[in-house]
Every structure is written in structure tokens, then in C-alpha cells.
Amino acid sequence: EAFAAGTFDPLSVLLVEAPDILPRRTPGLPDERFARGAVPMTKQEVRAVVLAKLAITPEDVLWDVGAGTGSVSVELALAANRGQVYAIEDKAEAWELIRKNRESFHAWNLKLVEGRAPKALEGLPPPDGVFIGGSGGELPAIVEAALTANPHARLCISAIALETLDAAVKALTDHGITPQVTQLAVSRSREAGGLHLMMANNPVFLIVGWRDD
């Protein structure tokens, strides 16, 4: 769009090369495509459901709070390719992973915000959708900050502990939002000798809600 609106010398030449990345067919990129180190990462199947629950549109502004490796941030940035994604993360060991994954997928509409939420959320553009993958015990304050920025933001909170599930339900209920809770229990095959066994991942709860009024 910027080039189309510009004026250039008639002898100018523009060369456009397609990036060398995995063709995107559906949400839920393979886990092995991401740099991750020892930082926790939201798995492929969960990422796909998160994007569905948040109902991403191409122009959305999105927050990924507790971004970790940035795997969800990348998926959000690819889905909202005409929008903007903010990956909020307070752990220094994760910052370089987020940058590497952003570069690997050419997700240049993804901005890293180095800091701890909710303080790090101050000044960010109001979000259309918010994924909270880690809260550091500040979940109520993070939900408050998101809904203050946009009372109609779509919220999706992930939890593996029952205590976090309870806190997420309460945080939404306290704002007059009726939460929808989904439990994902994913098993993957693993080779063992000449056989294949199913190995279970930890169950994950996704707590979703927004205001309809």
C-alpha cells in the first residue's frame, strides 16, 4: 500500500522475494519450528484453539501477556497480518527467543514489550483480543488493565493449575463476564521399540469471555 501511494523515478526497479517460511494452511504451527530453549511454550494444538477462541481478524490489535517463547505471539501476528501484536514478557531469557521466532516467521507486526504486567501494559494501544498465558500472580490486575483499555476486548486465559482456573473464572466474573471454560487433553504418539504409544500432555484449561453489551 505504501509503494502504491508513492511516486518514483520511471527507471526504478522493485524486486520482491517471497520469504522462505513454512506455508501457512491453518493455525497451529508445528512445535519444532520454534526456538524454545528452557522457556515454557504453548503447544501446537492449544495455539490453534486459542486463535479460534479469540476469533482473530486481520486488523486486530492483540496482547500476548506472559509471551514466553512467543509462539502464540507469532501465530497471532500471522493471523492479524494487518494489525499489531504486543508480546509482553518479563523474563530476559525469553526475550531473545521471541526475537528469533519473530524473525524466523517474518512476523514484523509483532512488538516485544520487555517488562512485567500489568505495569508493562500502560500506554499500549487498546486491544481487540488478549491472551494471558502467564500472569505471575497478577491475573486480576491484568484483566482489569485489559478491560480498562477496551471494555469489549475478547479475553482468553490459559491455565494448567486448578488454582489459576479458579482465579481466571473469578477475575472475569468480577467484571460481569460469564466465562466459558474449555479443557484440552491432548495425547501424541511416541515410538517405543516396534510399537507406538500415546503419551498425554498436561491438560490445559482455556477460560474465555467478553462483554456482549
Side-chain angles (χ1 to χ4, degrees):
E1 292 177 1
F3 274 109
T7 301
F8 306 94
D9 188 284
L11 295 181
S12 296
V13 175
L14 174 66
L15 173 64
V16 179
E17 295 183 323
D20 182 21
I21 60 174
L22 186 70
R24 182 176 178 80
R25 297 184 296 275
T26 62
L29 294 163
D31 292 344
E32 59 270 18
R33 291 282 297 178
F34 292 95
R36 60 181 298 185
V39 176
M41 184 180 75
T42 302
K43 300 299 191 298
Q44 176 184 21
E45 295 84 358
V46 177
R47 278 184 270 115
V49 177
V50 167
L51 264 68
K53 293 293 187 181
L54 286 175
I56 307 301
T57 67
E59 295 82 13
D60 275 348
V61 174
L62 303 163
W63 295 356
D64 179 8
V65 183
T69 63
S71 64
V72 172
S73 300
V74 165
E75 296 261 21
L76 294 175
L78 295 177
N81 60 342
R82 296 195 299 273
Q84 193 69 41
V85 175
Y86 296 87
I88 300 94
E89 176 57 53
D90 67 341
K91 295 180 176 59
E93 61 268 28
W95 297 343
E96 187 58 31
L97 291 173
I98 294 172
R99 294 189 182 98
K100 286 181 178 178
N101 287 320
R102 176 178 60 187
E103 181 176 356
S104 176
F105 289 94
H106 303 267
W108 304 120
N109 58 329
L110 191 169
K111 180 178 180 181
L112 171 62
V113 180
E114 300 176 1
R116 182 180 177 85
K119 180 67 174 177
L121 305 176
E122 295 177 2
L124 295 183
D128 297 295
V130 179
F131 175 66
I132 305 174
S135 63
E138 299 289 344
L139 185 54
I142 293 170
V143 170
E144 173 76 28
L147 293 175
T148 298
N150 178 9
H152 297 282
R154 303 183 300 276
L155 303 177
C156 179
I157 306 164
S158 70
I160 59 173
L162 295 178
E163 290 79 5
T164 308
L165 169 62
D166 181 67
V169 169
K170 186 176 187 304
L172 295 182
T173 302
D174 285 349
H175 286 274
I177 297 173
T178 301
Q180 178 195 68
V181 180
T182 301
Q183 183 190 46
L184 301 178
V186 176
S187 296
R188 294 179 177 179
S189 63
R190 180 179 65 85
E191 188 173 359
L195 304 175
H196 290 80
L197 308 179
M198 298 302 295
M199 302 297 293
N201 293 329
N202 286 331
V204 176
F205 299 99
L206 294 180
I207 307 94
V208 180
W210 59 85
R211 290 195 177 109
D212 292 322
D213 56 346

